[in-house]
Amino acid sequence: MCIPPPNVTGSLHIGHALTVAIQDALVRWHRMRGDQVLWVPGSDHAGIATQAVVEKQLWKERRVRRHELSREEFLREVWKWKDEKGGEICEQLRALGASLDWDRECFTMDPGSSAAVTEAFVRLHKAGLLYRNRQLVNWSCTLRSAISDIEVESRPLPGRTELRLPGCPTPVSFGLLVSVAFPVDGEPDAEVVVGTTRPETLPGDVAVAVHPDDSRYTHLHGRQLRHPLTGQLLPLITDSAVQPHVGTGAVKVTPAHSPADAELGARHGLSPLSVIAEDGTMTSLCGDWLQGLHRFLARGKIMSALRERGLFRGLQDHPMVLPICSRSGDVVEYLLKSQWFVRCREMGDRAAQAVESGALELSPSFHQKNWQHWFSHIGDWCVSRQLWWGHRIPAYLVVEEHAEDGRKDCWVVGRTEAEAREVAAELTGRPGAELTLARDPDVLDTWFSSALFPFSALGWPQETQDLARFYPLSLLETGSDLLLFWVGRMVMLGTQLTGQLPFSKVLLHSMVRDRQGRKMSKSLGNVLDPRDIISGVELQVLQEKLEDGNLDPAELVIAAAAQRKDFPHGIPECGTDALRFTLCSHGALGGDLHLSVSEVLSSRHFCNKIWNALRFILNALGEKFVPQPAEELSPSSPVDAWILSCLARTARECEQGFLTQELSLVTHALHHFWLHNLCDVYLEAVKPVLLHSPRPPGPPQVLFSCADVGLRLLAPLMPFLAEELWQRLPPRPGAPPAPSISVAPYPSARSLEHWHQPQLEQRFSRVQEAVQALRALRATYQLTKARPRVLLQSSEPGEQGLFEAFLEPLGTLGYCGAVGLLPPGAAAPSGWAQAPLSDTIQVCMELQGLVDPQTHLPLLAARRHKLQKQLDGLRARTPSEGEAETQRQQRLSSLQLELSKLDKAASHLRQLMDASPSPREP
């Protein structure tokens, strides 16, 4: 298994921590089962993000721009930055307890990865799956580079919205529809009105299109229109792709700046006009009055010109979706560029078929629909990036040579320049030594190398023998579009290049949100470094981290205020194990995960409970304790048998949870066993037994097995706590102990099945109900120190035997004295309180001489008055919006039941008024 390589520029957040927690738990579980496990660490060179960070640093520290350095000088600066700053992720992974194979740590710019990238490029090109062409790409004018679809954020706008954009001095309005008149040539009073949200692209219009069946324009078919800015003639064309019921039914056609228009223009043989340059300024084709002007400043001049010429026809709010570059915050432009593209249709069909056939399993299965939809709509993948940091494309332009059609440039591909020269010589028929080759200055999309990471990390293409061992293992990624983008590309390239699927299952977990359900965002101040939760952090430090980030001043104010509200006293130290356990405790394969620090703190308290339980157990075992082999351990009492049955059931539930990769099942089972079975019940029940002289040998052996097996069950999720405590346990005789709990055998359900007694657990659950009834009676009569005698009575003779074996633990857990059985039909002793346990069973508790009625009746009356006030208030209050009526009724029933108990207790105390003048001392 490989770790999804995080960007080297950043640090891990809680979403990454969830990935690591799940992966590490699975890895440790497999390792403890005796499987050979390889978990490969690595990080991604993050081309755009890293280059941007280093450029900012150069400007901040030296006032130097990238283009003032040579490419080699700049790359040296990037490698220097990577060596200094790039280790933070590894520190975080170690803090999270990730048991990675650090000897195999990879970086996507390592020589091995670079060789794999070059090999893949060459093979795809030879297979005809990689080609160079001039077509529209997503372009970031701020970055001056093409970007991938996953880096384009589709931002819905309800109407007029002002945005501040990089490089533009004033806010820009979007969500507006501008109506422009195109005069009909030869008819002075005739015009076609077109609506557009991008008036700055008007200089690039080459036609106006209408639907062929739109009767409003039938008389204009074949006519020509005058361009509203230049006066040039444009054809009015008909195309069925035009939606006649949207706007005026007429659309302007700008093939150089719109994917839809590019398709329409190609169908009609229209030549595109590129009017927006790489830097976002207007090109020379726009004329001197616009050339060099920022495109959104040009928008204003164009609108003014339309008004001056009398061709402006209106402005109105218009809901729209605006493409935003997630890396820079700039509006994405669609520009015609000569780039390298990967043909994805054939590979995509294979990836879709792999899931459909079951060869590749997506878990949870609801991701299959998104997977199939994505691959059914996949287009060719632009892999060129206009950056310096990244894998330089292994393609060469043969200078002054052209392809056979005499128009296109002649490009060759090779693993080395020498190999490319041989290809060029064969292609041109000229000696290689006479040819001049110029290498493509662009680098490959970071996702190209990331998609190869599972293969390059294991030595592909030089080494292939390890790949077969890699394929059956799981790979995790967040349950977002990255599934489709990264994992999808891995499947496509892996299948194409190796002939095999890279894995047989993809396991996808939820997105982590804050407790309010908000997405983690630096601008909201809710992004947390896992180490801050592990070690704790003061509010001041959190605020300083915000200030050291790259938020703009307005965002910084909002984020800082949010932090002060969410963490007024900072974050308390919670520990690694508590964080891991909390993350895994959510149903990670379902909906989004809402995480709060208070949950992690609760898990820390659970860790403390386990620590204290082990202190008690080790003290009970003593120094000379020798554990019995587990298979020889036979419980000496029913309560011993019960806790061992609970342990066996817990092992089975943990095994099932790991097998299905539903780790929330594992955490729930372990939490219930350690807290509710062992600590709350068995340890309390066994305390008086351990005081017996001579001490019975059974309970210490049971305590040891609970600690040993329980810690090994816990180890994949809480490795630090489990290791520390397990090492303190005395070793079993015979075979030498494992050097670490991480390689000790994980308890299997089969090995503990002989302890499992479901019927005994069901019987003991009735005992626990009796314990709760006794504790409730003690609370009602406010018995703090007294240990009253108790009798249990059943109208069914067979039921009494259910309690007979548990009378001693029943008294211990119910904080009572001697517990006995009252024959069916016999009257309860005078002065004893009674409470029904079920339709056939009731408990009787001694009160005579333990309670002073004169003291307690006023206290009961005060409690009753308080509850009655709550009940009256609840009845009178109008249910709040969103309040479930069932919840309100449950609260009413609960209050009425408590009042009934108090009335019954008060009545009973009044009957005792003359029975005893004062209570006896407990």
Side-chain angles (χ1 to χ4, degrees):
M1 184 161 64
C2 76
I3 193 169
N7 288 353
V8 72
T9 51
S11 60
L12 302 183
H13 52 65
I14 295 298
H16 294 111
L18 174 60
T19 300
V20 172
I22 295 174
Q23 281 194 315
D24 192 59
L26 293 173
V27 160
R28 289 177 181 274
W29 177 69
H30 276 285
R31 197 179 285 126
M32 291 178 74
R33 294 182 76 199
D35 296 330
Q36 272 196 317
V37 177
L38 173 61
W39 187 20
V40 181
S43 55
D44 189 276
H45 66 277
I48 293 175
T50 303
Q51 181 161 311
V53 166
V54 175
E55 286 193 62
K56 285 182 180 178
Q57 181 175 290
L58 284 172
W59 178 249
K60 182 178 180 180
E61 295 179 356
R62 294 162 48 184
R63 293 295 172 185
V64 172
R65 299 291 187 190
R66 168 168 61 106
H67 291 284
E68 297 176 39
L69 303 175
S70 69
R71 184 171 189 144
E72 291 70 24
E73 288 172 333
F74 178 75
L75 290 178
R76 280 198 295 270
E77 293 292 332
V78 180
W79 278 108
K80 179 182 175 183
W81 179 91
K82 189 266 179 186
D83 293 339
E84 292 175 355
K85 308 289 187 181
E88 184 174 5
I89 288 172
C90 293
E91 293 175 12
Q92 290 179 298
L93 290 171
R94 292 179 191 274
L96 285 165
S99 55
L100 290 147
D101 190 338
W102 290 104
D103 292 341
R104 288 182 177 259
E105 184 181 355
C106 303
F107 179 52
T108 51
M109 285 289 285
D110 285 343
S113 179
S114 297
V117 167
T118 299
E119 182 68 24
F121 192 95
V122 172
R123 291 192 189 185
L124 291 172
H125 185 261
K126 285 185 176 179
L129 295 174
L130 199 149
Y131 65 95
R132 186 175 177 86
N133 192 30
R134 185 172 184 262
Q135 58 193 63
L136 283 185
V137 297
N138 304 320
W139 187 266
S140 171
C141 297
T142 299
L143 300 173
R144 299 195 189 186
S145 174
I147 58 174
S148 61
D149 292 341
I150 201 68
E151 289 155 342
V152 178
E153 171 196 337
S154 297
R155 185 177 300 178
L157 303 180
R160 184 184 185 115
T161 306
E162 287 197 345
L163 299 177
R164 287 194 171 275
L165 301 174
C168 195
T170 56
V172 182
S173 295
F174 294 92
L176 294 172
L177 187 71
V178 180
S179 296
V180 183
F182 284 69
V184 177
D185 185 47
E187 293 189 32
D189 298 327
E191 65 184 26
V192 175
V193 177
V194 171
T196 179
T197 59
R198 297 292 308 272
E200 62 272 16
T201 63
L202 273 169
D205 291 350
V206 295
V208 171
V210 296
H211 194 279
D213 299 331
D214 192 336
S215 59
R216 292 172 294 178
Y217 302 106
T218 304
H219 66 290
L220 295 177
H221 289 186
R223 299 291 297 274
Q224 290 190 315
L225 310 177
R226 289 284 178 182
H227 193 289
L229 295 178
T230 66
Q232 293 179 330
L233 292 175
L234 305 181
L236 180 84
I237 60 177
T238 59
D239 195 285
S240 57
V242 178
Q243 297 176 292
H245 303 297
V246 176
T248 63
V251 296
K252 68 190 200 69
V253 182
T254 321
H257 299 288
S258 163
D261 290 4
E263 294 180 9
L264 191 153
R267 288 195 294 271
H268 295 271
L270 300 173
S271 298
L273 293 177
S274 295
V275 295
I276 297 178
E278 293 181 358
D279 61 355
T281 61
M282 307 304 285
T283 69
S284 59
L285 293 177
C286 303
D288 294 341
W289 69 295
L290 292 176
Q291 183 180 356
L293 198 62
H294 191 285
R295 63 196 188 283
F296 295 126
L297 295 180
R299 173 187 289 188
K301 292 194 70 171
I302 289 172
M303 298 275 284
S304 297
L306 292 173
R307 287 186 172 94
E308 290 172 4
R309 299 177 189 201
L311 298 175
F312 176 77
R313 294 293 178 266
L315 184 69
Q316 64 188 57
D317 278 18
H318 181 72
M320 63 179 293
V321 176
L322 191 66
I324 299 290
C325 171
S326 64
R327 299 291 186 183
S328 66
D330 199 0
V331 173
V332 172
E333 295 294 340
Y334 300 102
L335 302 188
L336 278 172
K337 307 297 289 184
S338 292
Q339 310 274 272
W340 292 96
F341 295 85
V342 174
R343 300 185 199 276
C344 293
R345 174 58 60 189
E346 181 182 335
M347 292 189 289
D349 287 344
R350 285 202 298 266
Q353 178 59 32
V355 170
E356 193 171 335
S357 68
L360 173 60
E361 178 187 352
L362 299 182
S363 179
S365 59
F366 63 77
H367 287 293
Q368 293 181 12
K369 183 178 180 181
N370 291 339
W371 179 273
Q372 300 295 358
H373 178 268
W374 192 74
F375 278 111
S376 66
H377 293 83
I378 195 171
D380 287 356
W381 172 18
C382 173
V383 292
S384 295
R385 296 293 179 268
Q386 289 63 48
L387 307 171
W388 283 356
W389 173 243
H391 297 283
R392 194 165 176 184
I393 293 176
Y396 300 80
L397 174 66
V398 184
V399 180
E400 297 180 357
E401 287 288 337
H402 299 280
E404 293 179 5
D405 59 11
R407 286 181 286 113
K408 292 185 177 180
D409 290 334
C410 180
W411 286 87
V412 292
V413 170
R415 296 171 182 84
T416 62
E417 183 176 336
E419 182 178 310
R421 194 172 293 278
E422 291 179 8
V423 174
E426 183 177 346
L427 192 65
T428 62
R430 296 171 54 190
E434 297 180 3
L435 298 173
T436 301
L437 301 186
R439 187 168 183 175
D440 193 331
D442 292 350
V443 300
L444 282 165
D445 181 7
T446 301
W447 295 101
F448 193 90
S449 54
S450 296
L452 296 172
F453 183 77
F455 313 101
S456 61
L458 292 174
W460 184 86
Q462 286 77 16
E463 299 178 23
T464 57
Q465 66 273 16
D466 283 337
L467 291 178
R469 287 190 290 154
F470 176 84
Y471 290 130
L473 299 179
S474 306
L475 185 96
L476 291 97
E477 190 30 60
T478 53
S480 66
D481 289 342
L482 290 176
L483 151 70
L484 307 176
F485 211 84
W486 182 50
V487 181
R489 276 156 167 67
M490 264 193 288
V491 172
M492 287 196 308
L493 294 188
T495 307
Q496 175 65 33
L497 296 170
T498 69
Q500 305 177 71
L501 286 169
F503 32 75
S504 58
K505 187 169 183 177
V506 183
L507 175 60
L508 299 143
H509 67 62
S510 311
M511 176 181 287
V512 181
R513 297 180 180 270
D514 67 12
R515 64 179 180 177
Q516 301 173 46
R518 300 176 304 176
K519 187 176 179 180
M520 298 293 186
S521 167
K522 292 180 181 178
S523 60
L524 292 176
N526 61 357
V527 173
L528 294 177
D529 184 333
R531 292 173 298 184
D532 290 341
I533 299 178
I534 292 170
S535 304
V537 65
E538 296 178 352
L539 174 62
Q540 181 181 348
V541 177
L542 288 173
Q543 302 264 286
E544 289 171 355
K545 286 186 177 183
L546 280 180
E547 292 170 4
D548 291 339
N550 57 0
L551 295 178
D552 66 41
E555 289 179 325
L556 181 60
V557 170
I558 295 172
Q563 273 191 350
R564 288 192 295 271
K565 180 181 178 182
D566 290 342
F567 312 111
H569 307 293
I571 298 174
E573 179 183 359
C574 297
T576 298
D577 289 327
L579 176 59
R580 290 166 56 111
F581 195 83
T582 304
L583 290 168
C584 292
S585 68
H586 288 264
L589 303 187
D592 290 343
L593 187 159
H594 295 190
L595 184 75
S596 66
V597 173
S598 60
E599 286 183 87
V600 189
L601 198 57
S602 177
S603 293
R604 177 193 172 182
H605 297 152
F606 175 52
C607 293
N608 292 343
K609 198 81 172 178
I610 296 171
W611 182 276
N612 290 330
L614 260 292
R615 286 178 59 189
F616 173 85
I617 291 173
L618 290 170
N619 184 59
L621 298 183
E623 295 181 1
K624 297 181 180 180
F625 175 80
V626 178
Q628 285 182 344
E631 59 274 10
E632 297 178 12
L633 177 59
S634 179
S636 58
S637 71
V639 74
D640 287 353
W642 170 79
I643 191 63
L644 291 177
S645 180
C646 292
L647 183 60
R649 174 174 45 79
T650 301
R652 185 176 62 184
E653 290 171 352
C654 289
E655 187 174 274
Q656 183 64 25
F658 274 117
L659 286 171
T660 59
Q661 296 169 340
E662 281 278 8
L663 298 190
S664 59
L665 302 179
V666 181
T667 57
H668 176 77
L670 289 169
H671 188 270
H672 189 79
F673 171 76
W674 276 99
L675 194 59
H676 302 298
N677 295 150
L678 185 63
C679 293
D680 288 353
V681 179
Y682 184 73
L683 295 189
E684 296 301 319
V686 83
K687 283 177 182 177
V689 177
L690 294 173
L691 297 176
H692 291 177
S693 182
R695 175 189 284 187
Q701 295 292 343
V702 172
L703 286 171
F704 174 83
S705 291
C706 287
D708 173 43
V709 176
L711 288 173
R712 284 188 282 134
L713 289 172
L714 191 67
L717 297 160
M718 290 187 170
F720 293 106
L721 180 68
E723 185 73 62
E724 176 66 28
L725 295 176
W726 190 77
Q727 292 291 349
R728 302 184 183 199
L729 291 175
R732 292 186 186 272
S740 165
I741 196 173
S742 63
V743 290
Y746 196 82
S748 68
R750 177 180 294 181
S751 68
L752 304 180
E753 191 60 35
H754 61 287
W755 286 343
H756 194 209
Q757 300 184 56
Q759 290 183 341
L760 175 64
E761 291 188 51
Q762 188 174 5
R763 284 166 52 203
F764 194 75
S765 67
R766 301 296 302 279
V767 176
Q768 290 176 287
E769 291 172 9
V771 168
Q772 295 305 317
L774 292 173
R775 290 180 178 178
L777 274 177
R778 288 179 55 84
T780 299
Y781 292 98
Q782 296 185 326
L783 297 173
T784 54
K785 296 181 179 180
R787 293 291 185 265
R789 290 178 293 168
V790 171
L791 292 172
L792 284 89
Q793 184 183 48
S794 174
S795 59
E796 299 290 337
E799 274 189 317
Q800 298 214 146
L802 183 149
F803 295 97
E804 196 165 7
F806 296 104
L807 294 182
E808 183 177 1
L810 180 56
T812 301
L813 297 170
Y815 309 126
C816 300
V819 181
L821 299 174
L822 188 65
S830 175
W832 286 46
Q834 301 174 39
L837 189 61
S838 67
D839 293 338
T840 58
I841 300 176
Q842 69 171 353
V843 294
C844 305
M845 178 182 287
E846 177 188 22
L847 291 182
Q848 191 76 39
L850 299 178
V851 176
D852 180 2
Q854 292 182 343
T855 302
H856 283 81
L857 275 170
L859 296 176
L860 287 179
R863 289 166 61 191
R864 192 194 190 289
H865 177 74
K866 183 179 179 181
L867 289 177
Q868 185 66 51
K869 191 174 181 181
Q870 292 180 17
L871 181 63
D872 294 342
L874 188 61
R875 284 172 172 166
R877 181 170 58 84
T878 303
S880 61
E881 185 178 352
E883 181 183 21
E885 180 61 23
T886 54
Q887 293 177 339
R888 183 169 177 271
Q889 291 299 326
Q890 288 172 356
R891 179 62 180 152
L892 285 170
S893 299
S894 176
L895 288 171
Q896 289 166 344
L897 180 60
E898 286 300 310
L899 285 169
S900 175
K901 289 180 180 179
L902 289 178
D903 288 342
K904 188 174 182 180
S907 175
H908 189 73
L909 286 176
R910 281 190 289 269
Q911 294 174 16
L912 291 175
M913 287 286 283
D914 298 328
S916 176
S918 61
R920 73 169 190 253
E921 290 297 322

